[in-house]
Amino acid sequence: MALSLTVNGDRVASTADPAAPLVDILREELHLTGAKPVCREGFCGACMVLIDGKPTPSCLTPAALADGCEIQTVEGLATPGQLNRIQAALDASDAVQCGMCFPGMVVSLTHLLTASPDATREDIRAALTGNICRCTGYERIIDATLLALATK
Amino acid sequence: MIPGSPMQRVPAAAHNAASSIHVAHSLANALDALSEWGSAGAVFAGGTWIMRSPIRHEPLREHYVAIGRIAELGAVRIGTDVVEIGPVVTHAALAAALADLPEFNVLAAAAGRSANPAIRAMATIGGNLATPGFAAADCVPALLCLDAEIEVAGREGRERMKLEHFLQIRSTLAPGRLVTQIVVPRSERKTAHARLPLRKAGDYPVAIVSFSVSVDAAGRVQAARIAVGSVEPVARRWERLEAALIGRQLDAEGAARTATELAEEFVGRDGVDAPAWYRVSVLPSLVRRAAAAALGA
Ligand SMILES: Cc1cc2nc3c(=O)[nH]c(=O)nc-3n(C[C@H](O)[C@H](O)[C@H](O)COP(=O)(O)OP(=O)(O)OC[C@H]3O[C@@H](n4cnc5c(N)ncnc54)[C@H](O)[C@@H]3O)c2cc1C
Ligand code: FES
Ligand code: FES
Protein backbone atom coordinates (compact mmCIF):
# COMPACT_ATOMS: atom_id res chain seq x y z
CA MET A 1 0.00 0.00 0.00
CA ALA A 2 1.39 3.41 -0.90
CA LEU A 3 2.30 5.73 1.94
CA SER A 4 1.69 9.42 1.71
CA LEU A 5 4.13 11.81 3.38
CA THR A 6 4.52 15.55 3.29
CA VAL A 7 8.22 16.31 3.03
CA ASN A 8 9.30 19.94 3.13
CA GLY A 9 5.83 20.95 2.05
CA ASP A 10 5.56 18.54 -0.89
CA ARG A 11 3.17 15.61 -0.87
CA VAL A 12 5.06 12.49 -1.83
CA ALA A 13 4.06 8.84 -2.14
CA SER A 14 6.27 5.91 -1.25
CA THR A 15 5.90 2.18 -1.64
CA ALA A 16 8.57 1.43 0.94
CA ASP A 17 8.09 -1.53 3.28
CA PRO A 18 6.25 -0.58 6.46
CA ALA A 19 9.26 -1.02 8.73
CA ALA A 20 11.73 0.70 6.40
CA PRO A 21 13.43 3.51 8.34
CA LEU A 22 12.33 6.95 7.18
CA VAL A 23 15.97 7.98 6.70
CA ASP A 24 16.31 5.47 3.86
CA ILE A 25 13.19 6.78 2.12
CA LEU A 26 14.44 10.36 2.42
CA ARG A 27 17.85 9.54 1.04
CA GLU A 28 17.24 6.78 -1.44
CA GLU A 29 13.79 7.61 -2.82
CA LEU A 30 13.68 11.37 -2.39
CA HIS A 31 17.43 12.05 -2.69
CA LEU A 32 17.37 14.28 0.36
CA THR A 33 20.78 13.34 1.69
CA GLY A 34 21.02 15.83 4.55
CA ALA A 35 19.83 13.32 7.15
CA LYS A 36 22.58 10.75 7.62
CA PRO A 37 22.29 7.19 8.92
CA VAL A 38 25.44 7.25 11.01
CA CYS A 39 24.59 4.97 13.95
CA ARG A 40 21.04 3.79 13.12
CA GLU A 41 20.57 3.55 16.87
CA GLY A 42 19.17 6.86 18.08
CA PHE A 43 22.47 7.86 19.70
CA CYS A 44 24.06 10.30 17.29
CA GLY A 45 21.30 12.54 15.93
CA ALA A 46 22.79 12.79 12.43
CA CYS A 47 19.49 11.58 10.95
CA MET A 48 17.32 14.04 12.92
CA VAL A 49 14.27 15.47 11.14
CA LEU A 50 11.19 17.29 12.36
CA ILE A 51 8.10 15.08 12.33
CA ASP A 52 4.98 17.13 12.98
CA GLY A 53 7.34 19.74 14.41
CA LYS A 54 9.20 17.43 16.83
CA PRO A 55 12.88 16.50 16.45
CA THR A 56 12.87 12.76 15.74
CA PRO A 57 15.62 10.38 14.68
CA SER A 58 14.54 9.21 11.23
CA CYS A 59 16.54 5.99 11.64
CA LEU A 60 14.05 4.81 14.29
CA THR A 61 10.89 5.93 12.52
CA PRO A 62 9.30 3.24 10.39
CA ALA A 63 7.69 4.27 7.13
CA ALA A 64 4.26 3.16 8.34
CA LEU A 65 4.34 5.64 11.23
CA ALA A 66 5.55 8.51 9.05
CA ASP A 67 2.49 8.03 6.85
CA GLY A 68 0.33 11.15 6.94
CA CYS A 69 2.94 13.17 8.85
CA GLU A 70 4.56 16.50 8.05
CA ILE A 71 8.28 15.95 7.74
CA GLN A 72 10.87 18.67 7.56
CA THR A 73 14.45 17.83 6.74
CA VAL A 74 17.43 20.15 6.93
CA GLU A 75 16.90 20.88 3.23
CA GLY A 76 13.52 22.45 4.02
CA LEU A 77 14.34 24.68 6.98
CA ALA A 78 15.43 27.82 5.17
CA THR A 79 13.46 29.92 2.76
CA PRO A 80 15.16 29.86 -0.65
CA GLY A 81 18.18 32.10 -0.73
CA GLN A 82 18.10 32.90 2.98
CA LEU A 83 19.57 30.92 5.84
CA ASN A 84 17.40 30.51 8.92
CA ARG A 85 18.50 32.07 12.22
CA ILE A 86 20.52 29.17 13.51
CA GLN A 87 22.10 28.44 10.14
CA ALA A 88 23.19 32.07 9.86
CA ALA A 89 24.58 32.06 13.41
CA LEU A 90 26.48 28.80 12.89
CA ASP A 91 27.96 30.27 9.73
CA ALA A 92 28.84 33.57 11.39
CA SER A 93 30.43 31.74 14.36
CA ASP A 94 32.50 29.52 12.06
CA ALA A 95 31.12 26.56 13.98
CA VAL A 96 31.15 23.90 11.27
CA GLN A 97 34.05 21.52 10.90
CA CYS A 98 33.58 18.26 8.97
CA GLY A 99 29.84 18.82 8.83
CA MET A 100 28.76 15.22 9.44
CA CYS A 101 26.66 16.11 12.48
CA PHE A 102 25.40 19.43 11.15
CA PRO A 103 22.16 18.55 9.41
CA GLY A 104 21.03 17.00 12.70
CA MET A 105 22.38 19.88 14.76
CA VAL A 106 20.54 22.40 12.61
CA VAL A 107 17.28 20.46 12.92
CA SER A 108 17.52 20.12 16.72
CA LEU A 109 18.58 23.74 17.18
CA THR A 110 15.94 25.12 14.82
CA HIS A 111 13.40 23.46 17.10
CA LEU A 112 15.12 24.74 20.25
CA LEU A 113 14.98 28.36 19.06
CA THR A 114 11.20 28.26 18.93
CA ALA A 115 10.52 25.78 21.76
CA SER A 116 12.91 27.37 24.31
CA PRO A 117 13.53 31.00 23.41
CA ASP A 118 15.03 31.59 26.88
CA ALA A 119 17.42 28.64 26.77
CA THR A 120 20.63 28.95 28.76
CA ARG A 121 24.00 27.41 27.95
CA GLU A 122 23.07 24.42 30.13
CA ASP A 123 19.69 24.04 28.41
CA ILE A 124 21.41 24.01 25.02
CA ARG A 125 23.88 21.37 26.19
CA ALA A 126 21.02 19.22 27.48
CA ALA A 127 19.07 19.68 24.25
CA LEU A 128 22.09 18.43 22.28
CA THR A 129 22.55 15.22 24.30
CA GLY A 130 21.38 13.27 21.27
CA ASN A 131 23.46 15.17 18.70
CA ILE A 132 27.00 13.90 18.76
CA CYS A 133 29.82 15.92 17.20
CA ARG A 134 33.23 14.35 16.72
CA CYS A 135 35.03 17.53 15.69
CA THR A 136 34.06 20.74 17.36
CA GLY A 137 33.97 20.20 21.10
CA TYR A 138 30.50 21.80 20.94
CA GLU A 139 31.49 25.17 22.40
CA ARG A 140 31.19 27.12 19.15
CA ILE A 141 27.90 25.44 18.39
CA ILE A 142 26.59 26.54 21.77
CA ASP A 143 27.98 30.06 21.28
CA ALA A 144 26.26 30.22 17.89
CA THR A 145 22.98 29.09 19.45
CA LEU A 146 23.20 31.80 22.09
CA LEU A 147 23.89 34.29 19.32
CA ALA A 148 20.86 33.08 17.37
CA LEU A 149 18.71 33.31 20.50
CA ALA A 150 19.88 36.88 21.02
CA THR A 151 19.07 37.88 17.41
CA LYS A 152 15.33 37.66 17.60
CA MET B 1 26.99 3.95 18.31
CA ILE B 2 30.37 5.51 17.63
CA PRO B 3 29.91 8.96 16.15
CA GLY B 4 32.03 9.63 13.13
CA SER B 5 32.19 5.96 12.18
CA PRO B 6 31.27 5.10 8.60
CA MET B 7 27.58 5.27 7.87
CA GLN B 8 25.77 2.10 8.85
CA ARG B 9 24.71 0.17 5.80
CA VAL B 10 22.18 -2.34 6.91
CA PRO B 11 21.15 -4.83 4.23
CA ALA B 12 17.69 -3.90 3.03
CA ALA B 13 16.37 -7.41 3.61
CA ALA B 14 17.31 -7.29 7.28
CA HIS B 15 15.40 -4.17 8.21
CA ASN B 16 12.53 -4.37 5.77
CA ALA B 17 11.41 -7.79 6.87
CA ALA B 18 8.16 -6.81 8.58
CA SER B 19 5.33 -7.18 6.15
CA SER B 20 2.79 -5.10 8.03
CA ILE B 21 2.47 -2.46 10.73
CA HIS B 22 -1.14 -1.96 11.71
CA VAL B 23 -1.77 1.39 13.40
CA ALA B 24 -4.39 0.71 16.07
CA HIS B 25 -6.65 3.48 17.38
CA SER B 26 -8.33 1.58 20.21
CA LEU B 27 -7.28 -1.12 22.63
CA ALA B 28 -10.01 -3.45 21.36
CA ASN B 29 -8.73 -3.03 17.82
CA ALA B 30 -5.13 -3.69 18.92
CA LEU B 31 -6.18 -6.84 20.78
CA ASP B 32 -8.07 -8.11 17.73
CA ALA B 33 -5.10 -7.49 15.45
CA LEU B 34 -2.66 -9.12 17.87
CA SER B 35 -4.85 -12.14 18.28
CA GLU B 36 -5.20 -12.48 14.53
CA TRP B 37 -1.42 -12.53 14.02
CA GLY B 38 -0.66 -14.80 16.96
CA SER B 39 3.04 -15.54 17.31
CA ALA B 40 3.83 -13.80 14.00
CA GLY B 41 2.79 -10.47 15.54
CA ALA B 42 4.04 -8.17 18.27
CA VAL B 43 3.30 -4.82 19.83
CA PHE B 44 5.13 -1.79 18.40
CA ALA B 45 5.21 1.06 20.95
CA GLY B 46 7.92 3.75 20.65
CA GLY B 47 9.99 1.55 18.33
CA THR B 48 13.27 2.64 19.93
CA TRP B 49 14.14 -0.98 20.67
CA ILE B 50 12.41 -2.72 17.77
CA MET B 51 13.89 -0.46 15.09
CA ARG B 52 17.37 -1.39 16.30
CA SER B 53 16.77 -5.12 15.75
CA PRO B 54 19.02 -5.24 12.64
CA ILE B 55 21.93 -3.83 14.65
CA ARG B 56 21.44 -6.62 17.20
CA HIS B 57 21.17 -9.13 14.32
CA GLU B 58 17.64 -9.98 15.38
CA PRO B 59 14.94 -10.50 12.75
CA LEU B 60 11.89 -8.26 12.83
CA ARG B 61 8.53 -9.86 13.51
CA GLU B 62 6.39 -10.36 10.47
CA HIS B 63 3.57 -8.16 11.76
CA TYR B 64 3.42 -5.31 14.22
CA VAL B 65 0.50 -3.60 15.87
CA ALA B 66 1.40 0.02 16.62
CA ILE B 67 -0.23 1.09 19.89
CA GLY B 68 1.37 4.53 20.34
CA ARG B 69 -1.68 6.44 19.08
CA ILE B 70 -4.25 4.71 21.31
CA ALA B 71 -5.49 7.56 23.50
CA GLU B 72 -6.84 5.28 26.26
CA LEU B 73 -3.33 3.83 26.76
CA GLY B 74 -1.60 7.21 26.86
CA ALA B 75 -2.80 8.89 30.07
CA VAL B 76 -1.27 9.44 33.51
CA ARG B 77 -4.00 9.54 36.18
CA ILE B 78 -2.94 10.89 39.55
CA GLY B 79 -5.35 9.63 42.20
CA THR B 80 -5.26 9.94 45.97
CA ASP B 81 -4.05 6.36 46.55
CA VAL B 82 -2.44 5.38 43.29
CA VAL B 83 -1.00 6.77 40.11
CA GLU B 84 -2.06 4.93 36.97
CA ILE B 85 0.21 5.15 33.99
CA GLY B 86 -0.78 4.10 30.49
CA PRO B 87 1.83 1.95 28.74
CA VAL B 88 2.35 4.30 25.78
CA VAL B 89 3.12 7.30 27.97
CA THR B 90 6.56 8.42 26.79
CA HIS B 91 9.49 8.92 29.11
CA ALA B 92 9.25 12.68 28.51
CA ALA B 93 5.51 12.83 29.23
CA LEU B 94 5.90 10.73 32.38
CA ALA B 95 8.68 12.92 33.75
CA ALA B 96 6.55 16.01 33.10
CA ALA B 97 3.43 14.50 34.71
CA LEU B 98 5.30 13.58 37.91
CA ALA B 99 7.38 16.74 38.20
CA ASP B 100 5.42 18.15 41.16
CA LEU B 101 5.16 14.94 43.18
CA PRO B 102 8.33 14.53 45.28
CA GLU B 103 7.40 10.96 46.32
CA PHE B 104 7.92 10.05 42.63
CA ASN B 105 11.31 11.74 42.22
CA VAL B 106 12.85 8.36 41.47
CA LEU B 107 10.54 7.71 38.54
CA ALA B 108 10.60 11.26 37.21
CA ALA B 109 14.40 11.13 37.18
CA ALA B 110 14.49 7.66 35.62
CA ALA B 111 12.16 8.74 32.82
CA GLY B 112 13.50 12.29 32.50
CA ARG B 113 17.21 11.55 32.29
CA SER B 114 17.34 8.34 30.28
CA ALA B 115 18.66 8.43 26.71
CA ASN B 116 18.37 11.85 25.02
CA PRO B 117 15.52 14.31 24.48
CA ALA B 118 14.34 13.00 21.10
CA ILE B 119 14.36 9.40 22.34
CA ARG B 120 12.54 10.34 25.54
CA ALA B 121 9.76 11.75 23.39
CA MET B 122 9.42 8.40 21.57
CA ALA B 123 10.25 5.60 24.03
CA THR B 124 7.35 4.39 26.16
CA ILE B 125 7.13 3.15 29.72
CA GLY B 126 5.44 -0.08 28.56
CA GLY B 127 8.26 -0.75 26.12
CA ASN B 128 10.79 -0.07 28.86
CA LEU B 129 9.26 -2.75 31.10
CA ALA B 130 8.51 -5.27 28.35
CA THR B 131 11.97 -5.57 26.79
CA PRO B 132 13.72 -8.61 28.32
CA GLY B 133 16.99 -7.99 26.49
CA PHE B 134 17.42 -4.47 27.89
CA ALA B 135 19.32 -4.72 31.18
CA ALA B 136 19.93 -0.97 31.47
CA ALA B 137 16.26 0.08 31.43
CA ASP B 138 15.90 2.97 33.90
CA CYS B 139 12.22 2.69 34.76
CA VAL B 140 12.42 -0.95 35.80
CA PRO B 141 14.40 -0.43 39.03
CA ALA B 142 12.54 2.83 39.65
CA LEU B 143 9.19 1.05 39.51
CA LEU B 144 10.51 -1.90 41.57
CA CYS B 145 11.37 0.45 44.39
CA LEU B 146 7.89 2.02 44.12
CA ASP B 147 6.21 -1.41 44.41
CA ALA B 148 4.42 -1.07 41.07
CA GLU B 149 1.85 -3.46 39.71
CA ILE B 150 1.40 -4.27 36.05
CA GLU B 151 -1.87 -4.92 34.29
CA VAL B 152 -1.68 -7.31 31.37
CA ALA B 153 -4.63 -7.81 29.03
CA GLY B 154 -5.65 -10.03 26.16
CA ARG B 155 -8.95 -10.57 24.40
CA GLU B 156 -9.97 -13.03 27.10
CA GLY B 157 -9.46 -10.63 30.01
CA ARG B 158 -7.06 -8.72 32.24
CA GLU B 159 -4.87 -9.60 35.19
CA ARG B 160 -2.75 -7.61 37.62
CA MET B 161 0.59 -8.71 38.96
CA LYS B 162 3.57 -7.36 40.86
CA LEU B 163 6.30 -5.97 38.63
CA GLU B 164 8.70 -8.62 40.05
CA HIS B 165 6.42 -11.32 38.67
CA PHE B 166 5.96 -9.56 35.36
CA LEU B 167 9.75 -9.44 34.91
CA GLN B 168 9.81 -13.24 35.27
CA ILE B 169 7.11 -13.90 32.71
CA ARG B 170 7.61 -11.06 30.23
CA SER B 171 9.71 -13.07 27.77
CA THR B 172 7.02 -15.72 27.54
CA LEU B 173 4.00 -13.42 27.47
CA ALA B 174 1.43 -15.23 25.33
CA PRO B 175 0.84 -13.78 21.86
CA GLY B 176 -2.04 -11.35 21.89
CA ARG B 177 -1.34 -10.05 25.41
CA LEU B 178 0.12 -6.69 26.28
CA VAL B 179 0.80 -4.36 29.18
CA THR B 180 -2.19 -2.06 29.50
CA GLN B 181 -1.46 -0.18 32.70
CA ILE B 182 1.15 0.43 35.38
CA VAL B 183 -0.24 1.12 38.85
CA VAL B 184 1.96 2.76 41.47
CA PRO B 185 0.81 3.19 45.08
CA ARG B 186 1.15 6.61 46.66
CA SER B 187 2.74 7.08 50.08
CA GLU B 188 4.91 9.41 52.10
CA ARG B 189 8.40 8.43 51.07
CA LYS B 190 11.68 9.88 50.00
CA THR B 191 12.93 8.61 46.71
CA ALA B 192 15.85 9.09 44.33
CA HIS B 193 17.39 7.55 41.22
CA ALA B 194 21.17 7.39 40.82
CA ARG B 195 22.55 6.25 37.47
CA LEU B 196 26.05 6.18 36.11
CA PRO B 197 26.41 6.66 32.35
CA LEU B 198 29.96 6.83 31.02
CA ARG B 199 29.35 10.31 29.68
CA LYS B 200 27.28 12.71 31.74
CA ALA B 201 24.22 11.96 29.62
CA GLY B 202 23.14 10.07 26.52
CA ASP B 203 24.75 6.69 27.24
CA TYR B 204 23.24 3.67 28.86
CA PRO B 205 23.82 3.60 32.61
CA VAL B 206 26.57 1.21 33.70
CA ALA B 207 24.67 0.72 36.95
CA ILE B 208 21.52 2.13 38.54
CA VAL B 209 20.36 2.41 42.15
CA SER B 210 16.71 3.33 42.70
CA PHE B 211 15.97 4.24 46.27
CA SER B 212 12.82 4.68 48.31
CA VAL B 213 12.60 5.04 52.09
CA SER B 214 10.10 6.13 54.69
CA VAL B 215 11.59 7.69 57.81
CA ASP B 216 10.00 8.44 61.18
CA ALA B 217 10.06 11.80 62.93
CA ALA B 218 13.49 11.01 64.39
CA GLY B 219 14.93 10.27 60.93
CA ARG B 220 15.06 6.49 61.41
CA VAL B 221 14.27 4.27 58.44
CA GLN B 222 10.89 2.59 58.82
CA ALA B 223 10.62 1.04 55.39
CA ALA B 224 13.05 0.77 52.51
CA ARG B 225 12.87 -0.48 48.94
CA ILE B 226 16.09 -0.34 46.95
CA ALA B 227 16.49 -1.72 43.46
CA VAL B 228 19.57 -2.22 41.32
CA GLY B 229 19.49 -2.03 37.53
CA SER B 230 21.97 -2.64 34.72
CA VAL B 231 24.37 -4.62 36.94
CA GLU B 232 22.75 -8.01 36.35
CA PRO B 233 20.72 -8.98 33.26
CA VAL B 234 17.44 -8.14 35.04
CA ALA B 235 16.93 -5.43 37.65
CA ARG B 236 16.09 -6.64 41.15
CA ARG B 237 15.68 -5.46 44.71
CA TRP B 238 18.61 -5.34 47.11
CA GLU B 239 16.78 -6.85 50.06
CA ARG B 240 19.82 -7.33 52.32
CA LEU B 241 20.64 -3.65 52.05
CA GLU B 242 17.02 -2.71 52.71
CA ALA B 243 16.97 -4.90 55.84
CA ALA B 244 20.27 -3.45 57.07
CA LEU B 245 18.95 0.10 56.86
CA ILE B 246 15.69 -0.48 58.74
CA GLY B 247 15.68 1.13 62.18
CA ARG B 248 18.87 3.08 61.49
CA GLN B 249 19.26 6.78 61.12
CA LEU B 250 19.53 7.36 57.37
CA ASP B 251 22.86 8.82 56.42
CA ALA B 252 24.41 8.60 52.99
CA GLU B 253 27.94 7.63 54.11
CA GLY B 254 26.66 4.90 56.41
CA ALA B 255 24.41 3.50 53.69
CA ALA B 256 27.36 3.44 51.26
CA ARG B 257 29.53 1.60 53.82
CA THR B 258 26.86 -1.03 54.29
CA ALA B 259 26.49 -1.30 50.52
CA THR B 260 30.25 -1.97 50.23
CA GLU B 261 29.91 -4.85 52.68
CA LEU B 262 26.94 -6.33 50.83
CA ALA B 263 27.81 -5.68 47.18
CA GLU B 264 29.41 -9.07 46.64
CA GLU B 265 25.97 -10.64 46.25
CA PHE B 266 25.79 -9.15 42.75
CA VAL B 267 27.19 -11.01 39.78
CA GLY B 268 27.78 -8.26 37.24
CA ARG B 269 27.25 -8.67 33.53
CA ASP B 270 30.03 -8.05 31.04
CA GLY B 271 29.20 -5.60 28.29
CA VAL B 272 30.94 -3.48 25.67
CA ASP B 273 30.42 -0.43 27.83
CA ALA B 274 31.74 -1.86 31.10
CA PRO B 275 33.10 -5.10 32.56
CA ALA B 276 31.15 -7.03 35.18
CA TRP B 277 33.35 -6.08 38.15
CA TYR B 278 33.10 -2.37 37.39
CA ARG B 279 29.31 -2.37 37.54
CA VAL B 280 29.42 -3.95 41.00
CA SER B 281 32.20 -1.70 42.21
CA VAL B 282 30.27 1.51 41.59
CA LEU B 283 27.21 0.40 43.58
CA PRO B 284 28.28 1.86 46.95
CA SER B 285 28.86 5.27 45.36
CA LEU B 286 25.46 5.14 43.71
CA VAL B 287 23.86 4.19 47.02
CA ARG B 288 25.57 7.19 48.60
CA ARG B 289 24.31 9.50 45.87
CA ALA B 290 20.80 8.10 45.97
CA ALA B 291 20.56 8.29 49.76
CA ALA B 292 21.88 11.85 49.78
CA ALA B 293 19.42 12.90 47.08
CA ALA B 294 16.53 11.20 48.90
CA LEU B 295 17.50 12.92 52.17
CA GLY B 296 17.65 16.24 50.39
CA ALA B 297 14.20 15.77 48.90
C1 LIG C 1 20.02 5.66 21.87
C2 LIG C 1 19.07 5.18 22.89
C3 LIG C 1 19.42 5.23 24.23
C4 LIG C 1 18.53 4.80 25.19
N1 LIG C 1 18.90 4.87 26.50
C5 LIG C 1 18.03 4.47 27.44
C6 LIG C 1 18.41 4.50 28.82
O1 LIG C 1 19.51 4.88 29.18
N2 LIG C 1 17.49 4.10 29.72
C7 LIG C 1 16.24 3.68 29.36
O2 LIG C 1 15.47 3.30 30.23
N3 LIG C 1 15.85 3.65 28.09
C8 LIG C 1 16.72 4.03 27.12
N4 LIG C 1 16.36 3.99 25.81
C9 LIG C 1 14.96 3.72 25.48
C10 LIG C 1 14.59 2.25 25.40
O3 LIG C 1 14.83 1.76 24.09
C11 LIG C 1 13.14 2.18 25.77
O4 LIG C 1 13.05 2.64 27.09
C12 LIG C 1 12.48 0.83 25.77
O5 LIG C 1 13.35 -0.19 26.04
C13 LIG C 1 11.72 0.55 24.50
O6 LIG C 1 10.57 1.30 24.50
P1 LIG C 1 9.78 1.54 23.16
O7 LIG C 1 8.49 2.17 23.54
O8 LIG C 1 10.59 2.22 22.17
O9 LIG C 1 9.47 0.01 22.73
P2 LIG C 1 9.46 -0.74 21.35
O10 LIG C 1 10.77 -0.68 20.67
O11 LIG C 1 8.27 -0.34 20.57
O12 LIG C 1 9.21 -2.23 21.90
C14 LIG C 1 10.20 -2.92 22.68
C15 LIG C 1 9.66 -4.30 23.06
O13 LIG C 1 8.60 -4.16 24.01
C16 LIG C 1 7.41 -4.74 23.53
N5 LIG C 1 6.32 -3.88 24.01
C17 LIG C 1 6.25 -2.53 23.88
N6 LIG C 1 5.15 -2.06 24.52
C18 LIG C 1 4.53 -3.14 25.06
C19 LIG C 1 3.35 -3.32 25.83
N7 LIG C 1 2.57 -2.29 26.19
N8 LIG C 1 3.02 -4.57 26.21
C20 LIG C 1 3.79 -5.64 25.87
N9 LIG C 1 4.92 -5.54 25.13
C21 LIG C 1 5.28 -4.30 24.73
C22 LIG C 1 7.56 -4.79 22.02
O14 LIG C 1 6.79 -5.81 21.44
C23 LIG C 1 9.06 -5.07 21.90
O15 LIG C 1 9.32 -6.42 22.11
C24 LIG C 1 17.24 4.35 24.81
C25 LIG C 1 16.90 4.27 23.48
C26 LIG C 1 17.82 4.67 22.51
C27 LIG C 1 17.40 4.58 21.07
S1 FES D 1 21.60 7.57 12.66
FE1 FES D 1 19.78 8.03 13.69
S2 FES D 1 20.49 8.74 15.58
FE2 FES D 1 22.31 8.08 14.64
S1 FES E 1 31.55 18.95 12.71
FE1 FES E 1 32.37 16.96 12.39
S2 FES E 1 31.01 15.71 13.54
FE2 FES E 1 30.38 17.68 14.05
Side-chain angles (χ1 to χ4, degrees):
Chain A
M1 202 182 70
L3 306 167
S4 158
L5 326 173
T6 306
V7 181
N8 299 332
D10 295 333
R11 285 289 285 278
V12 295
S14 165
T15 52
D17 286 332
L22 175 61
V23 65
D24 293 342
I25 300 174
L26 295 174
R27 294 175 60 86
E28 280 155 36
E29 286 187 34
L30 306 178
H31 306 295
L32 294 168
T33 53
K36 305 201 183 331
V38 174
C39 71
R40 288 191 184 272
E41 282 214 77
F43 275 104
C44 76
C47 67
M48 201 73 81
V49 298
L50 297 176
I51 300 188
D52 291 337
K54 285 200 311 194
T56 309
S58 56
C59 65
L60 299 182
T61 304
L65 292 185
D67 187 29
C69 294
E70 289 267 348
I71 294 147
Q72 268 181 294
T73 67
V74 69
E75 289 90 345
L77 294 179
T79 44
Q82 198 185 359
L83 298 178
N84 78 8
R85 256 198 301 156
I86 189 66
Q87 289 169 325
L90 287 163
D91 182 31
S93 309
D94 199 12
V96 188
Q97 289 191 20
C98 85
M100 180 72 132
C101 66
F102 261 77
M105 288 282 176
V106 169
V107 169
S108 294
L109 292 171
T110 297
H111 176 259
L112 177 125
L113 290 197
T114 46
S116 317
D118 302 320
T120 62
R121 220 177 167 84
E122 262 322 292
D123 297 335
I124 299 166
R125 280 176 192 279
L128 292 181
T129 311
N131 290 87
I132 307 275
C133 177
R134 261 279 175 104
C135 307
T136 65
Y138 303 97
E139 291 305 315
R140 283 195 197 179
I141 297 174
I142 297 168
D143 290 341
T145 311
L146 289 167
L147 174 69
L149 284 165
T151 27
K152 299 223 160 118
Chain B
M1 184 172 152
I2 308 296
S5 57
M7 287 195 216
Q8 292 278 351
R9 291 228 162 261
V10 174
H15 61 64
N16 285 350
S19 48
S20 80
I21 298 183
H22 168 72
V23 182
H25 288 284
S26 72
L27 176 57
N29 177 246
L31 291 173
D32 285 347
L34 284 169
S35 109
E36 185 179 328
W37 297 126
S39 56
V43 169
F44 189 108
T48 64
W49 187 261
I50 291 172
M51 289 299 286
R52 293 185 285 162
S53 302
I55 300 248
R56 296 189 301 272
H57 304 288
E58 291 169 11
L60 289 175
R61 279 305 168 85
E62 203 176 339
H63 302 285
Y64 285 102
V65 177
I67 60 170
R69 295 179 192 165
I70 302 179
E72 64 199 285
L73 298 183
V76 179
R77 276 179 289 271
I78 300 174
T80 42
D81 299 328
V82 293
V83 168
E84 295 170 342
I85 305 165
V88 304
V89 172
T90 63
H91 290 219
L94 183 58
L98 299 177
D100 297 327
L101 299 175
E103 67 191 86
F104 289 102
N105 280 354
V106 61
L107 186 54
R113 285 200 241 120
S114 60
N116 60 56
I119 299 296
R120 290 197 290 270
M122 295 174 93
T124 67
I125 180 84
N128 201 256
L129 302 182
T131 309
F134 186 27
D138 275 281
C139 298
V140 178
L143 285 166
L144 280 173
C145 91
L146 293 176
D147 200 13
E149 294 195 353
I150 307 301
E151 183 187 86
V152 173
R155 274 218 295 204
E156 63 298 340
R158 312 175 168 228
E159 62 174 318
R160 257 249 219 136
M161 62 192 81
K162 290 279 184 197
L163 174 56
E164 277 93 335
H165 182 64
F166 176 74
L167 295 177
Q168 285 168 7
I169 62 145
R170 63 183 174 175
S171 58
T172 55
L173 208 60
R177 292 163 67 71
L178 75 161
V179 174
T180 45
Q181 189 162 259
I182 297 111
V183 183
V184 194
R186 299 198 62 179
S187 75
E188 287 258 335
R189 62 192 162 214
K190 295 173 181 293
T191 72
H193 188 73
R195 68 200 296 274
L196 179 73
L198 293 180
R199 290 178 304 147
K200 187 172 171 191
D203 290 331
Y204 288 153
V206 162
I208 305 168
V209 170
S210 298
F211 196 91
S212 167
V213 290
S214 313
V215 292
D216 64 17
R220 278 187 304 263
V221 177
Q222 285 182 308
R225 287 179 72 94
I226 301 165
V228 170
S230 199
V231 172
E232 296 181 339
V234 183
R236 66 168 167 100
R237 277 174 60 197
W238 193 347
E239 287 173 356
R240 287 169 70 210
L241 180 61
E242 293 170 0
L245 297 186
I246 305 273
R248 270 168 48 181
Q249 197 79 22
L250 182 61
D251 83 289
E253 287 305 327
R257 270 197 304 278
T258 311
T260 308
E261 288 158 19
L262 299 177
E264 68 192 22
E265 74 173 70
F266 288 93
V267 180
R269 67 186 170 96
D270 272 319
V272 283
D273 52 339
W277 65 266
Y278 183 70
R279 296 183 201 277
V280 178
S281 74
V282 300
L283 283 176
S285 303
L286 290 178
V287 167
R288 180 189 304 109
R289 280 192 216 171
L295 275 169

